[in-house]
Amino acid sequence: MVKDSLLQKEYELGFTYTRSTGPVVGKFLTGLKNRQIFGNRATDGRVIVPPMEYDPETFQPLNDFVQVSDAGVIESWCWVSKPRSSHPSAVPFAWAMIKLDGADISMIHHIVTNEQNRVVTGARVKALWIDQPVGFISDIRCFVLEED
Amino acid sequence: MDNKNKEVIDAIEAPIYLKYNFTAGLAPARFLSQLKQGVLTGQRCPKCDNVYVPPRGSCPACGVATEEEVVLGDKATVQSFTIVSIPIPGNPIQPPYIVANLVPDGANISFIHLMSECVNEEVRIGQRVTAIWKPKEEWDFAMDNIRYFKPLDEPDVPAELIGHLSVNGTEN
Ligand SMILES: [Zn+2]
C-alpha cells in the first residue's frame, strides 16, 4: 500500500445556542444593562450575587431581589500572566472572587491592572462598565482597583 | 437576537465553538487521495473478506488490519433512505431532499450520500443508483467530489442481496 502523506484539515464545529434566562438570571442581566447589579435574599437572610433561582438550603424559590454596589472587596484571586484566546482579557489579569458591598456571597469576575502587586485579598475594586451595556456579564468590562 | 432594544432580558446568545484539527489516518488518507483522482475505494478484511468503505484501516468484526485496497465502481444500491423536509442551518441544500445509505457494488457496508434527479416519493430500498461526479477540476480530498447519486434503469436488488454484490454488480 502506498503511504500517502498525512492529510490534515482544520474545521470548526459551532453550536449557535440561544438560551432562555428564566426570570431570575433575566433580572440580573436586565440590571447589568442598566449598570445595576442585583442579588437576591436567601431564606437565611444572606444576599446572594448573582441571584439564585432556589434557596441552597430550603430549595424555596427566591424572589426578594436586592440591588448591591458595583464596588467591593477581593476575597481571593489568581493571576493569569499569559491570557489565552478564550479569556476575557488580552492582557495579564486576575480571576477574582469579589464580594460586592451589600452582598454576602462573592462573585467571580476579573481584574485588570498594571499594578499586579496591589491585587491582594482585602483590596477594594470597582466595576468598569462598557459604554453601551447589552444585558450580559461582559457589560462589566472588568474590575479595577480603587485608588488608595 | 438583539438584546439592545429589549427592556427585559429573557434570552442570551450562548454559542459554543469547537475548533478541530482533523488528521486523517493512513486508511482515510489513502481513500481521500483516491477520491481526489475520481476513484472510490474500499479495503478488504483478510479474514472475513468484507469490504469496507470508507476504510478505517481495520475490520471491526475480526479486529485485524485491512490493507488490500479494492477499487469500487460508481454503481450502488439503496440500503435505506430518508426524505429531509426540515432545513438545517448552514446547509445550502434546499429541502425536500433525500439522504440515503448506499452500498457500492463490491462493498459490504453502506455510506451516507445524497440522491437527486429522482422522484422522492419513488425512492425505495433496493433501488439502483450511480454516482454523479463534479467536474474533474473541482475534485478535492472530499466525498462531495461525488455531487449525488441518481437512479439507474436497472432491476431492484432483493433486500437479502443488498451489500452482497460483486464489484461488477452481480451476485457474489
Ligand atoms: Zn473481518
PDB file of all heavy atoms in Angstrom, chain A residues 27-49:
ATOM      1  N   LYS A  27     -33.423  38.887  35.482  1.00  0.00           N
ATOM      2  CA  LYS A  27     -33.418  40.100  36.316  1.00  0.00           C
ATOM      3  C   LYS A  27     -31.989  40.613  36.493  1.00  0.00           C
ATOM      4  O   LYS A  27     -31.713  41.816  36.410  1.00  0.00           O
ATOM      5  CB  LYS A  27     -34.026  39.769  37.685  1.00  0.00           C
ATOM      6  CG  LYS A  27     -33.899  40.861  38.732  1.00  0.00           C
ATOM      7  CD  LYS A  27     -34.948  41.934  38.573  1.00  0.00           C
ATOM      8  CE  LYS A  27     -34.817  42.973  39.688  1.00  0.00           C
ATOM      9  NZ  LYS A  27     -35.772  44.079  39.516  1.00  0.00           N
ATOM     10  N   PHE A  28     -31.051  39.688  36.721  1.00  0.00           N
ATOM     11  CA  PHE A  28     -29.635  40.049  36.891  1.00  0.00           C
ATOM     12  C   PHE A  28     -29.100  40.709  35.621  1.00  0.00           C
ATOM     13  O   PHE A  28     -28.476  41.778  35.672  1.00  0.00           O
ATOM     14  CB  PHE A  28     -28.834  38.784  37.231  1.00  0.00           C
ATOM     15  CG  PHE A  28     -27.356  38.997  37.349  1.00  0.00           C
ATOM     16  CD1 PHE A  28     -26.814  39.705  38.414  1.00  0.00           C
ATOM     17  CD2 PHE A  28     -26.488  38.468  36.396  1.00  0.00           C
ATOM     18  CE1 PHE A  28     -25.443  39.887  38.534  1.00  0.00           C
ATOM     19  CE2 PHE A  28     -25.116  38.646  36.505  1.00  0.00           C
ATOM     20  CZ  PHE A  28     -24.587  39.361  37.571  1.00  0.00           C
ATOM     21  N   LEU A  29     -29.380  40.079  34.468  1.00  0.00           N
ATOM     22  CA  LEU A  29     -28.857  40.609  33.206  1.00  0.00           C
ATOM     23  C   LEU A  29     -29.526  41.931  32.840  1.00  0.00           C
ATOM     24  O   LEU A  29     -28.877  42.841  32.312  1.00  0.00           O
ATOM     25  CB  LEU A  29     -29.051  39.579  32.090  1.00  0.00           C
ATOM     26  CG  LEU A  29     -28.266  38.266  32.266  1.00  0.00           C
ATOM     27  CD1 LEU A  29     -28.620  37.270  31.170  1.00  0.00           C
ATOM     28  CD2 LEU A  29     -26.762  38.530  32.286  1.00  0.00           C
ATOM     29  N   THR A  30     -30.821  42.027  33.119  1.00  0.00           N
ATOM     30  CA  THR A  30     -31.524  43.288  32.864  1.00  0.00           C
ATOM     31  C   THR A  30     -30.910  44.402  33.718  1.00  0.00           C
ATOM     32  O   THR A  30     -30.729  45.533  33.255  1.00  0.00           O
ATOM     33  CB  THR A  30     -33.023  43.135  33.176  1.00  0.00           C
ATOM     34  OG1 THR A  30     -33.558  42.101  32.343  1.00  0.00           O
ATOM     35  CG2 THR A  30     -33.778  44.437  32.899  1.00  0.00           C
ATOM     36  N   GLY A  31     -30.544  44.052  34.950  1.00  0.00           N
ATOM     37  CA  GLY A  31     -29.871  45.026  35.818  1.00  0.00           C
ATOM     38  C   GLY A  31     -28.562  45.490  35.215  1.00  0.00           C
ATOM     39  O   GLY A  31     -28.278  46.692  35.157  1.00  0.00           O
ATOM     40  N   LEU A  32     -27.770  44.525  34.722  1.00  0.00           N
ATOM     41  CA  LEU A  32     -26.472  44.887  34.126  1.00  0.00           C
ATOM     42  C   LEU A  32     -26.654  45.870  32.985  1.00  0.00           C
ATOM     43  O   LEU A  32     -25.870  46.807  32.825  1.00  0.00           O
ATOM     44  CB  LEU A  32     -25.756  43.626  33.613  1.00  0.00           C
ATOM     45  CG  LEU A  32     -25.280  42.625  34.664  1.00  0.00           C
ATOM     46  CD1 LEU A  32     -24.641  41.426  33.980  1.00  0.00           C
ATOM     47  CD2 LEU A  32     -24.290  43.269  35.639  1.00  0.00           C
ATOM     48  N   LYS A  33     -27.716  45.663  32.225  1.00  0.00           N
ATOM     49  CA  LYS A  33     -27.960  46.557  31.084  1.00  0.00           C
ATOM     50  C   LYS A  33     -28.153  47.995  31.566  1.00  0.00           C
ATOM     51  O   LYS A  33     -27.877  48.949  30.838  1.00  0.00           O
ATOM     52  CB  LYS A  33     -29.198  46.069  30.320  1.00  0.00           C
ATOM     53  CG  LYS A  33     -29.304  46.734  28.972  1.00  0.00           C
ATOM     54  CD  LYS A  33     -30.446  46.212  28.144  1.00  0.00           C
ATOM     55  CE  LYS A  33     -30.461  47.016  26.845  1.00  0.00           C
ATOM     56  NZ  LYS A  33     -31.682  46.851  26.102  1.00  0.00           N
ATOM     57  N   ASN A  34     -28.644  48.133  32.806  1.00  0.00           N
ATOM     58  CA  ASN A  34     -28.849  49.467  33.399  1.00  0.00           C
ATOM     59  C   ASN A  34     -27.727  49.831  34.375  1.00  0.00           C
ATOM     60  O   ASN A  34     -27.896  50.709  35.212  1.00  0.00           O
ATOM     61  CB  ASN A  34     -30.207  49.503  34.093  1.00  0.00           C
ATOM     62  CG  ASN A  34     -31.335  49.250  33.108  1.00  0.00           C
ATOM     63  OD1 ASN A  34     -31.424  49.899  32.080  1.00  0.00           O
ATOM     64  ND2 ASN A  34     -32.186  48.267  33.408  1.00  0.00           N
ATOM     65  N   ARG A  35     -26.602  49.110  34.253  1.00  0.00           N
ATOM     66  CA  ARG A  35     -25.438  49.326  35.122  1.00  0.00           C
ATOM     67  C   ARG A  35     -25.785  49.157  36.596  1.00  0.00           C
ATOM     68  O   ARG A  35     -25.302  49.891  37.463  1.00  0.00           O
ATOM     69  CB  ARG A  35     -24.829  50.713  34.877  1.00  0.00           C
ATOM     70  CG  ARG A  35     -24.382  50.857  33.438  1.00  0.00           C
ATOM     71  CD  ARG A  35     -23.842  52.250  33.188  1.00  0.00           C
ATOM     72  NE  ARG A  35     -23.805  52.492  31.749  1.00  0.00           N
ATOM     73  CZ  ARG A  35     -22.774  52.981  31.079  1.00  0.00           C
ATOM     74  NH1 ARG A  35     -21.679  53.316  31.722  1.00  0.00           N
ATOM     75  NH2 ARG A  35     -22.842  53.158  29.794  1.00  0.00           N
ATOM     76  N   GLN A  36     -26.648  48.212  36.847  1.00  0.00           N
ATOM     77  CA  GLN A  36     -27.010  47.888  38.222  1.00  0.00           C
ATOM     78  C   GLN A  36     -26.726  46.405  38.437  1.00  0.00           C
ATOM     79  O   GLN A  36     -26.820  45.605  37.506  1.00  0.00           O
ATOM     80  CB  GLN A  36     -28.509  48.142  38.450  1.00  0.00           C
ATOM     81  CG  GLN A  36     -28.898  49.610  38.279  1.00  0.00           C
ATOM     82  CD  GLN A  36     -30.405  49.800  38.298  1.00  0.00           C
ATOM     83  OE1 GLN A  36     -31.160  48.897  37.961  1.00  0.00           O
ATOM     84  NE2 GLN A  36     -30.829  50.983  38.694  1.00  0.00           N
ATOM     85  N   ILE A  37     -26.364  46.071  39.689  1.00  0.00           N
ATOM     86  CA  ILE A  37     -26.104  44.667  39.999  1.00  0.00           C
ATOM     87  C   ILE A  37     -27.108  44.201  41.041  1.00  0.00           C
ATOM     88  O   ILE A  37     -27.219  44.794  42.121  1.00  0.00           O
ATOM     89  CB  ILE A  37     -24.655  44.468  40.504  1.00  0.00           C
ATOM     90  CG1 ILE A  37     -23.663  44.956  39.434  1.00  0.00           C
ATOM     91  CG2 ILE A  37     -24.408  42.988  40.823  1.00  0.00           C
ATOM     92  CD1 ILE A  37     -22.207  44.910  39.869  1.00  0.00           C
ATOM     93  N   PHE A  38     -27.861  43.162  40.691  1.00  0.00           N
ATOM     94  CA  PHE A  38     -28.874  42.631  41.592  1.00  0.00           C
ATOM     95  C   PHE A  38     -28.462  41.263  42.122  1.00  0.00           C
ATOM     96  O   PHE A  38     -27.921  40.427  41.383  1.00  0.00           O
ATOM     97  CB  PHE A  38     -30.222  42.484  40.876  1.00  0.00           C
ATOM     98  CG  PHE A  38     -30.959  43.787  40.741  1.00  0.00           C
ATOM     99  CD1 PHE A  38     -30.868  44.532  39.574  1.00  0.00           C
ATOM    100  CD2 PHE A  38     -31.726  44.280  41.798  1.00  0.00           C
ATOM    101  CE1 PHE A  38     -31.535  45.751  39.455  1.00  0.00           C
ATOM    102  CE2 PHE A  38     -32.395  45.493  41.689  1.00  0.00           C
ATOM    103  CZ  PHE A  38     -32.299  46.234  40.513  1.00  0.00           C
ATOM    104  N   GLY A  39     -28.734  41.067  43.412  1.00  0.00           N
ATOM    105  CA  GLY A  39     -28.683  39.750  44.002  1.00  0.00           C
ATOM    106  C   GLY A  39     -30.074  39.448  44.518  1.00  0.00           C
ATOM    107  O   GLY A  39     -31.016  40.189  44.237  1.00  0.00           O
ATOM    108  N   ASN A  40     -30.193  38.357  45.261  1.00  0.00           N
ATOM    109  CA  ASN A  40     -31.459  38.157  45.971  1.00  0.00           C
ATOM    110  C   ASN A  40     -31.196  37.554  47.341  1.00  0.00           C
ATOM    111  O   ASN A  40     -30.106  37.043  47.628  1.00  0.00           O
ATOM    112  CB  ASN A  40     -32.482  37.371  45.145  1.00  0.00           C
ATOM    113  CG  ASN A  40     -32.001  36.008  44.712  1.00  0.00           C
ATOM    114  OD1 ASN A  40     -30.932  35.559  45.124  1.00  0.00           O
ATOM    115  ND2 ASN A  40     -32.779  35.344  43.879  1.00  0.00           N
ATOM    116  N   ARG A  41     -32.213  37.704  48.208  1.00  0.00           N
ATOM    117  CA  ARG A  41     -32.041  37.348  49.605  1.00  0.00           C
ATOM    118  C   ARG A  41     -32.450  35.905  49.816  1.00  0.00           C
ATOM    119  O   ARG A  41     -33.551  35.491  49.437  1.00  0.00           O
ATOM    120  CB  ARG A  41     -32.900  38.268  50.488  1.00  0.00           C
ATOM    121  CG  ARG A  41     -32.451  38.304  51.938  1.00  0.00           C
ATOM    122  CD  ARG A  41     -33.240  39.327  52.744  1.00  0.00           C
ATOM    123  NE  ARG A  41     -33.014  40.715  52.326  1.00  0.00           N
ATOM    124  CZ  ARG A  41     -31.947  41.437  52.666  1.00  0.00           C
ATOM    125  NH1 ARG A  41     -30.993  40.907  53.420  1.00  0.00           N
ATOM    126  NH2 ARG A  41     -31.825  42.688  52.256  1.00  0.00           N
ATOM    127  N   ALA A  42     -31.530  35.127  50.371  1.00  0.00           N
ATOM    128  CA  ALA A  42     -31.822  33.732  50.672  1.00  0.00           C
ATOM    129  C   ALA A  42     -32.708  33.656  51.917  1.00  0.00           C
ATOM    130  O   ALA A  42     -32.924  34.656  52.610  1.00  0.00           O
ATOM    131  CB  ALA A  42     -30.519  32.961  50.894  1.00  0.00           C
ATOM    132  N   THR A  43     -33.221  32.474  52.187  1.00  0.00           N
ATOM    133  CA  THR A  43     -34.119  32.289  53.327  1.00  0.00           C
ATOM    134  C   THR A  43     -33.432  32.681  54.636  1.00  0.00           C
ATOM    135  O   THR A  43     -34.072  33.207  55.547  1.00  0.00           O
ATOM    136  CB  THR A  43     -34.564  30.810  53.387  1.00  0.00           C
ATOM    137  OG1 THR A  43     -35.008  30.426  52.081  1.00  0.00           O
ATOM    138  CG2 THR A  43     -35.704  30.624  54.369  1.00  0.00           C
ATOM    139  N   ASP A  44     -32.118  32.465  54.745  1.00  0.00           N
ATOM    140  CA  ASP A  44     -31.408  32.809  55.977  1.00  0.00           C
ATOM    141  C   ASP A  44     -30.973  34.278  56.011  1.00  0.00           C
ATOM    142  O   ASP A  44     -30.259  34.690  56.921  1.00  0.00           O
ATOM    143  CB  ASP A  44     -30.188  31.887  56.173  1.00  0.00           C
ATOM    144  CG  ASP A  44     -29.154  32.053  55.044  1.00  0.00           C
ATOM    145  OD1 ASP A  44     -29.323  32.962  54.197  1.00  0.00           O
ATOM    146  OD2 ASP A  44     -28.191  31.278  55.011  1.00  0.00           O
ATOM    147  N   GLY A  45     -31.397  35.070  55.018  1.00  0.00           N
ATOM    148  CA  GLY A  45     -31.131  36.498  55.046  1.00  0.00           C
ATOM    149  C   GLY A  45     -29.904  36.926  54.258  1.00  0.00           C
ATOM    150  O   GLY A  45     -29.710  38.111  54.009  1.00  0.00           O
ATOM    151  N   ARG A  46     -29.060  35.988  53.862  1.00  0.00           N
ATOM    152  CA  ARG A  46     -27.861  36.361  53.098  1.00  0.00           C
ATOM    153  C   ARG A  46     -28.248  36.872  51.710  1.00  0.00           C
ATOM    154  O   ARG A  46     -29.196  36.358  51.104  1.00  0.00           O
ATOM    155  CB  ARG A  46     -26.927  35.159  52.929  1.00  0.00           C
ATOM    156  CG  ARG A  46     -26.237  34.722  54.203  1.00  0.00           C
ATOM    157  CD  ARG A  46     -25.305  33.554  53.935  1.00  0.00           C
ATOM    158  NE  ARG A  46     -26.037  32.422  53.315  1.00  0.00           N
ATOM    159  CZ  ARG A  46     -25.457  31.386  52.744  1.00  0.00           C
ATOM    160  NH1 ARG A  46     -24.139  31.301  52.702  1.00  0.00           N
ATOM    161  NH2 ARG A  46     -26.183  30.411  52.227  1.00  0.00           N
ATOM    162  N   VAL A  47     -27.491  37.826  51.227  1.00  0.00           N
ATOM    163  CA  VAL A  47     -27.722  38.334  49.873  1.00  0.00           C
ATOM    164  C   VAL A  47     -26.753  37.621  48.915  1.00  0.00           C
ATOM    165  O   VAL A  47     -25.530  37.680  49.106  1.00  0.00           O
ATOM    166  CB  VAL A  47     -27.520  39.863  49.805  1.00  0.00           C
ATOM    167  CG1 VAL A  47     -27.601  40.339  48.349  1.00  0.00           C
ATOM    168  CG2 VAL A  47     -28.578  40.564  50.655  1.00  0.00           C
ATOM    169  N   ILE A  48     -27.321  36.944  47.945  1.00  0.00           N
ATOM    170  CA  ILE A  48     -26.542  36.122  47.018  1.00  0.00           C
ATOM    171  C   ILE A  48     -26.435  36.844  45.668  1.00  0.00           C
ATOM    172  O   ILE A  48     -27.438  37.287  45.123  1.00  0.00           O
ATOM    173  CB  ILE A  48     -27.214  34.743  46.817  1.00  0.00           C
ATOM    174  CG1 ILE A  48     -27.340  34.034  48.171  1.00  0.00           C
ATOM    175  CG2 ILE A  48     -26.445  33.910  45.811  1.00  0.00           C
ATOM    176  CD1 ILE A  48     -28.108  32.735  48.109  1.00  0.00           C
ATOM    177  N   VAL A  49     -25.208  36.993  45.172  1.00  0.00           N
ATOM    178  CA  VAL A  49     -24.958  37.657  43.887  1.00  0.00           C
ATOM    179  C   VAL A  49     -24.029  36.788  43.049  1.00  0.00           C
ATOM    180  O   VAL A  49     -22.967  36.385  43.547  1.00  0.00           O
ATOM    181  CB  VAL A  49     -24.285  39.036  44.082  1.00  0.00           C
ATOM    182  CG1 VAL A  49     -24.116  39.731  42.725  1.00  0.00           C
ATOM    183  CG2 VAL A  49     -25.101  39.912  45.012  1.00  0.00           C
TER     184      VAL A  49
END
